[in-house]
Amino acid sequence: MKRNKMNSTQIAQLAGVSRSTVSRVINNYPSVPPETREKVMKVIKEHNYFPDMSAQVLAGKNMRNIGLFIIDKGSVSSDPTSNMLIASVIEAASSHDYYVLTNIIRDCKSPKNIERVKTVFYQNRIDAGIFMGADNHEPFIEELIAEGFIIGIVDQDLPGRNEPNRIVYSFDNENGAMKAIDYLVSLNHQRIGIINGDIKRHAGSARLEGYLKAMKHHCLPVRKEWILQSDFSSMNGYNSMNSFLKTNVELPTAFFAANDSIAFGAIRALNEKQIRVPDDISIIGIDDHVLSSLFHPPLTTFKANFSKMMQSLTFDVIKTIEQTNNKGIKLTMDSELIIRESCLSL
């Protein structure tokens, strides 16, 4: 059925009431007598009338829209984990009758991109925003929080920032990295390297810190040649390992990859050089990518319930929209070791 382009004045005339009464019915004010409400609703249904949303905004009503902003230079559609995270947000929002408007930000340094995101907030098209893949300190996100917009963030650690409109859910990055090194040491590995992620992101800096702390705790030497840099993608995991192998530096007995995607790329580079995992070198990941159990060899890693994390983050964002917090929300998700076949005991 096509929408009838009527306005509230016309609805009021057909129902024999004032325009303000139509407004009170639409906005569900309790002061409207039941028989009047029924009469107005009958006309609204007969003429398939929907109120102008811009008028709702001016009246201070929620739009029931949440913005989901994914900061990613690669192909989000080809990554099953990203798709799972997006679906988790949509399912959680839908269960509370909220819509999710999704946008991929390729370049946070582009003024045009940032202006486009800010416009969505300043024009009140959304009630809150959720950001995935942001740097630990992303200036335009901090600006939105300072302006009072409700912002949910995946993985951030900014001590002292407890604004009531800041909702942060993080993986236990540092502890997860330390547990990965502990497991390798339990398999008698002493020469352990790391293929790290984007150091500007909280997960990158915290996982590197966890690696360094665990190596120190076990009194193991850290060789700078064994600290490889990547960006949390399989392609850069491959490139980092490929570049390392060209240096002919002595291999460690094991590498900790700062996420499973990095591990996939690194193993591919090792395979091309006929270096076998785990016979010649062990690889342990973190995050438990949806493909990790199907990879060859199946990847030993640390599992976190990211679907539950995104659902809980979305619920807390909605609660903050509907009732003011006294202070910000910060929660950290733990992980568990999943032993598969990519690590060998020496």
Side-chain angles (χ1 to χ4, degrees):
M1 184 186 293
K2 291 184 72 174
R3 175 180 172 179
N4 193 330
K5 295 182 179 179
M6 299 183 72
N7 57 40
S8 59
T9 301
Q10 292 169 308
I11 294 295
Q13 289 171 346
L14 289 168
V17 298
S18 68
R19 184 173 175 273
S20 62
T21 298
V22 173
S23 177
R24 288 200 300 274
V25 170
I26 290 169
N27 292 306
N28 205 28
Y29 283 97
S31 58
V32 182
E35 61 274 13
T36 304
R37 183 184 303 278
E38 186 178 339
K39 184 166 57 174
V40 173
M41 288 304 298
K42 184 173 183 289
V43 175
I44 285 174
K45 288 175 183 176
E46 283 177 355
H47 293 272
N48 198 32
Y49 169 73
F50 291 88
D52 184 352
M53 292 308 291
S54 61
Q56 299 243 43
V57 172
L58 289 172
K61 297 290 181 182
N62 289 343
M63 295 292 289
R64 305 196 77 81
N65 289 334
I66 295 171
L68 176 59
F69 302 92
I70 302 140
I71 301 170
D72 197 315
K73 296 176 183 177
S75 175
V76 175
S77 62
S78 64
D79 182 12
T81 298
S82 294
N83 288 318
M84 178 269 290
L85 298 178
I86 293 167
S88 297
V89 173
I90 293 171
E91 286 180 354
S94 296
S95 71
H96 282 68
D97 296 324
Y98 277 76
Y99 291 88
V100 178
L101 308 180
T102 307
N103 184 260
I104 297 171
I105 305 172
R106 298 292 184 196
D107 181 10
C108 285
K109 299 292 186 288
S110 164
K112 183 178 179 182
N113 286 350
I114 301 311
E115 189 62 31
R116 191 173 68 244
V117 173
K118 286 182 178 179
T119 298
V120 174
F121 284 90
Y122 285 107
Q123 289 185 346
N124 292 315
R125 292 191 230 162
I126 56 178
D127 300 305
I130 295 174
F131 288 87
M132 293 167 45
D135 287 353
N136 190 47
H137 184 277
E138 185 59 65
F140 84 92
I141 295 178
E142 295 306 308
E143 184 179 326
L144 289 170
I145 292 172
E147 289 286 344
F149 294 108
I150 297 167
I151 303 293
I153 304 172
V154 180
D155 242 4
Q156 186 187 61
D157 182 28
L158 293 176
R161 305 286 181 88
N162 296 305
E163 300 92 330
N165 54 319
R166 184 191 299 266
I167 301 98
V168 178
Y169 271 66
S170 299
F171 179 79
D172 195 355
N173 293 294
E174 186 175 302
N175 193 45
M178 293 179 73
K179 290 194 291 187
I181 304 308
D182 290 345
Y183 177 69
L184 291 173
V185 170
S186 77
L187 299 179
N188 300 313
H189 290 274
Q190 295 187 352
R191 295 157 53 223
I192 304 169
I194 178 174
I195 318 163
N196 200 35
D198 186 347
I199 208 72
K200 290 182 180 178
R201 289 173 57 180
H202 172 50
S205 60
R207 292 176 187 186
L208 175 60
E209 185 64 24
Y211 162 79
L212 294 172
K213 282 186 177 180
M215 294 293 282
K216 183 178 181 180
H217 172 76
H218 291 289
C219 301
L220 298 177
V222 174
R223 290 182 54 174
K224 64 179 182 180
E225 306 98 303
W226 292 345
I227 299 178
L228 314 186
Q229 197 57 46
S230 183
D231 73 348
F232 291 118
S233 72
S234 176
M235 180 58 70
N236 272 284
Y238 172 86
N239 290 338
S240 295
M241 181 57 70
N242 207 31
S243 298
F244 169 72
L245 294 174
K246 288 177 181 178
T247 65
N248 294 317
V249 169
E250 177 190 19
L251 280 172
T253 61
F255 267 112
F256 161 57
N259 78 351
D260 289 4
S261 293
I262 291 172
F264 299 158
I267 292 172
R268 186 160 60 90
L270 290 163
N271 286 340
E272 288 179 2
K273 299 295 183 182
Q274 284 73 54
I275 300 171
R276 298 168 299 168
V277 176
D279 297 337
D280 300 320
I281 188 168
S282 293
I283 302 284
I284 187 169
I286 190 167
D287 286 353
D288 196 27
H289 192 286
V290 294
L291 298 179
S292 295
S293 62
L294 305 174
F295 198 73
H296 184 73
L299 190 67
T300 295
T301 185
F302 282 82
K303 180 182 181 67
N305 193 336
F306 285 110
S307 179
K308 180 181 178 182
M309 182 174 91
M310 295 308 297
Q311 288 181 359
S312 297
L313 170 62
T314 305
F315 290 152
D316 276 338
V317 166
I318 290 171
K319 275 197 288 185
T320 305
I321 293 169
E322 297 181 351
Q323 58 187 49
T324 305
N325 296 332
N326 293 321
K327 62 179 181 177
I329 298 171
K330 290 186 180 181
L331 286 173
T332 301
M333 305 291 286
D334 203 356
S335 60
E336 62 174 316
L337 174 64
I338 306 295
I339 298 174
R340 296 193 180 107
E341 299 173 24
S342 64
C343 295
L344 194 66
S345 179
L346 299 181

